Amino acid sequence: MYHELRERGTRPRACVIGHPVAHSRSPLLHGYWLKTLGIAGAYERADVPEPDFANFLRDLRRQGYVGANITVPHKEAAFRLVDRRDEAAQAIGAVNTVWYENDRLVGGNTDAYGFIAHLDASLPRWHETTHRAVVLGAGGAARAVVHALLARGIEIALVNRTLARAQDLAAHFSQWISAESFAQLPQRLGRADLVVNTTSLGMIDKPALELDLAPLKPAAIVYDIVYVPLETEFLRAARARGHRTVDGLGMLLHQAVPGFARWFGVTPSVTPKLKSLIESDIHAKTGLAGH
Ligand code: ATR
């Protein structure tokens, strides 16, 4: 796509579509890659209210875009509106990245990829010792995490405040998931090799996720997909107990890679420099420091 456009002398443009979208860090992220890779493209913000989303998406190419990221509140609408979905989007039920294949608009979901790519990059041998995971939460983020872990053959105990939501999610995915309430957590933690927080607890302005980590095996890995603050109370507590921890910011960075590659024809890298650029932005906007 990029090469075609470049031959025609057109500057390829992508955007993030949301409402509101001012807070999105995707322009900073993709802008950094465009600049450092020397690509004469652009990545913009598109603030599109819900009633206008279907028209905006239908006219994406006519507006000069090669594709887009889709964020809140449009991910489920995009799922319904695209011409074709990739396997992850199909399983997760939401689309966060769109691109064109010939004249067809394809919808993908890169959150599961981002989750696993960051884990692979942070702890390359995690898979050798991980058989069972506890996943906390049963919302959209949990669906991506569950999809990613099942693809790696991990057995999952899905723990959620509202048990019925965990049961629905478990039924949607596979027999390798059990749905549990928080009461069962101590027992489940004792058997877990990996614990993942996908709830909104621990985010800035939300209560902390307070779990008693005592039952956890010392070798267990603790992953929090929340990235503002960069180190949540939950991760800090896990780190203080000597667990290997994985933060949420890397997932955000890695989930952006496949979209960029499709739109601009170059696979970008997630580097410490990029991470510190986004960390500084979070710090500047929230006053919260990382670790
Ligand atoms: P997302 O799509 O980002 O995952 P979501 O669908 O709103 O967001 O899901 C938020 C998750 O955080 C849910 O699992 C929610 O639990 P419920 O299904 O019981 O609502 C969980 N969550 C939010 N606030 C919580 C709280 N105070 N205590 C426990 N879980 C909470």
Side-chain angles (χ1 to χ4, degrees):
M1 174 71 73
Y2 171 62
H3 298 290
E4 267 168 52
L5 287 168
R6 198 171 47 179
E7 275 157 28
R8 283 192 264 134
T10 316
R11 206 164 151 243
R13 288 159 60 227
C15 62
V16 52
I17 313 170
H19 184 66
V21 81
H23 64 281
S24 171
R25 292 194 167 83
S26 294
L28 186 61
L29 188 52
H30 290 286
Y32 173 84
W33 281 331
L34 286 169
K35 198 170 122 206
T36 52
L37 292 166
I39 295 172
Y43 187 98
E44 301 161 2
R45 282 191 170 83
D47 192 328
V48 179
E50 270 175 278
D52 303 333
F53 178 70
N55 284 340
F56 189 94
L57 194 67
R58 204 184 43 229
D59 290 342
L60 197 65
R61 193 176 236 178
R62 267 186 295 259
Q63 299 176 70
Y65 290 114
V66 294
N69 281 127
I70 315 289
T71 188
V72 179
H74 303 310
K75 290 186 193 186
E76 286 77 22
F79 177 86
R80 292 190 298 272
L81 292 164
V82 290
D83 298 317
R84 185 175 78 74
R85 302 164 196 136
D86 76 1
E87 194 203 332
Q90 192 64 39
I92 295 165
V95 159
N96 74 350
T97 306
V98 296
W99 65 91
Y100 289 93
E101 283 175 13
N102 301 316
D103 284 332
R104 299 181 82 203
L105 185 65
V106 185
N109 191 308
T110 63
D111 284 336
Y113 166 83
F115 171 81
I116 283 290
H118 178 42
L119 189 52
D120 285 339
S122 307
L123 302 170
R125 302 179 65 182
W126 72 273
H127 194 245
E128 292 170 18
T129 53
T130 303
H131 307 290
R132 275 186 283 265
V134 165
V135 175
L136 302 161
R143 294 172 84 93
V145 168
V146 161
H147 178 66
L149 290 175
L150 287 177
R152 292 292 187 97
I154 311 293
E155 205 183 305
I156 298 171
L158 188 67
V159 177
N160 197 47
R161 174 179 60 182
T162 312
L163 180 60
R165 248 185 131 190
Q167 285 167 334
D168 284 352
L169 202 152
H172 173 79
F173 277 96
S174 93
Q175 77 273 27
W176 296 105
I177 311 182
S178 63
E180 320 270 350
S181 61
F182 271 92
Q184 271 121 354
L185 197 53
Q187 187 198 347
R188 290 299 171 186
L189 284 179
R191 300 180 68 212
D193 308 301
L194 170 68
V195 181
V196 186
N197 176 42
T198 77
T199 73
S200 47
L201 292 172
M203 275 182 198
I204 185 169
D205 299 333
K206 296 265 164 72
L209 171 62
E210 286 170 5
L211 286 192
D212 179 8
L213 294 175
L216 212 51
K217 297 184 241 181
I221 299 165
V222 179
Y223 192 154
D224 195 342
I225 71 164
V226 170
Y227 64 90
V228 182
L230 291 162
E231 188 179 56
T232 58
E233 287 293 326
F234 176 55
L235 274 195
R236 195 180 326 224
R239 195 160 56 89
R241 295 183 63 88
H243 291 289
R244 289 171 293 166
T245 59
V246 183
D247 65 43
L249 182 57
M251 174 175 167
L252 174 79
L253 306 181
H254 281 280
Q255 68 74 33
V257 169
F260 190 96
R262 295 220 184 252
W263 307 322
F264 300 115
V266 183
T267 301
S269 303
V270 172
T271 59
K273 214 165 160 194
L274 174 62
K275 192 169 186 200
S276 65
L277 176 78
I278 307 293
E279 278 185 19
S280 309
D281 183 66
I282 293 172
H283 182 57
K285 303 222 166 92
T286 63
L288 292 171
H291 49 270

